[in-house]
Amino acid sequence: MTRDDEAPTLTADEQLLVLPDDLRHELKEPMGPIETDAERLLETVDGPVIAIGDVVTYHLLQAGHRPAVALVDGRTKRTAVDEEIRDAVTEGASIEVRNPPAELGAPVVRALRRALAADDPTTILVDGEEDLVALPAIVAAPENASVVYGQPDKGMVHVTVTDDHRAEMRDLLERFEGDTERFWELLEG
C-alpha cells in the first residue's frame, strides 16, 4: 500500500475517468438512507451486497455477513485503518489493483466486473482509493443488489440498485473528465 505522498499512477491506457472539481460537492450528499447499525441495515437487504470501504466492510463482517464484493484500501478518512480492521477486511483478498484518488481506472473497473461475475465472495484490495467505485458498482450491480458505502462521521449509506439509481449514476459518470466511451465498454462488456 502506498502512503498519501506516494499516490499510485496509471499509464495512459489504464486511466479512464477523473472526477472534476465541480462535481465533488454533488458526491458529498448520500445517495440513499444512512444507517449506523449493520445488523439493521442487513435486515433490509434482498440481494447481493457490494461494500465500498474498509470500515463498512468491517461492520458487515462483524454482523456476520460477508459481502459478495468488497473494495478496501486500508484507509479511512485518509488515514490508515487500525490493524484489527485491516486484517479482517483484507483476509482472503483475491484481486489487487491500483486506482489513484479521484479517478476510476481500467484496472479497478475490470476488477469490479470480475468480482460481480464471481460465484464466491470477492475482496478487491485497492492501492490508492476505492471511494468512487460506488458509482460504477451501482450501474453494474444486479437489480435489488445493495451497494453500501461510508458517509464520513455519519454511518453507512445503503443504495438498493434500481433502474432509477443506475440512470442517475450514468448521468453523473458522463460528467467525469476522460474517456467515457472506453469506460462504458469496460464496465458493460
Side-chain angles (χ1 to χ4, degrees), residues 20 83 106 109 112 137 143 159 186:
E83 191 175 333
V109 172
L112 174 65
E143 189 77 11
V159 180
L186 282 176

Side-chain angles (χ1 to χ4, degrees), residues 48 66-69 113-122:
R66 177 166 290 283
V69 179
R113 291 264 313 169
R114 205 166 112 206
L116 287 169
D119 291 331
D120 295 322
T122 303

Side-chain angles (χ1 to χ4, degrees), residues 35-45 56 58-65 156:
E35 181 60 68
T36 57
D37 183 300
E39 289 178 13
R40 197 169 339 165
L41 182 148
L42 289 165
E43 290 171 3
T44 64
V45 166
V56 166
Y58 179 75
H59 285 300
L60 293 171
L61 290 170
Q62 291 298 106
H65 186 86
M156 297 171 282

Side-chain angles (χ1 to χ4, degrees), residues 117-151:
D119 291 331
D120 295 322
T122 303
T123 298
I124 301 168
L125 180 59
V126 179
D127 178 8
E129 196 172 272
E130 86 291 44
D131 301 355
L132 290 178
V133 182
L135 307 177
I138 291 168
V139 173
E143 189 77 11
N144 291 323
S146 292
V147 175
V148 183
Y149 67 90
Q151 185 79 9

Side-chain angles (χ1 to χ4, degrees), residues 176-187:
F176 275 54
E177 296 168 351
D179 191 346
T180 53
E181 185 176 326
R182 185 153 175 264
F183 170 79
W184 293 119
E185 286 173 10
L186 282 176
L187 185 64

Side-chain angles (χ1 to χ4, degrees), residues 147-165:
V147 175
V148 183
Y149 67 90
Q151 185 79 9
D153 303 316
K154 302 282 186 209
M156 297 171 282
V157 178
H158 179 199
V159 180
T160 302
V161 176
T162 64
D163 286 339
D164 287 345
H165 283 119

Side-chain angles (χ1 to χ4, degrees), residues 20-41:
D21 288 339
D22 62 335
L23 277 186
R24 290 178 186 273
H25 70 281
E26 289 185 46
L27 296 179
K28 296 208 183 297
E29 290 300 313
M31 295 182 258
I34 296 175
E35 181 60 68
T36 57
D37 183 300
E39 289 178 13
R40 197 169 339 165
L41 182 148

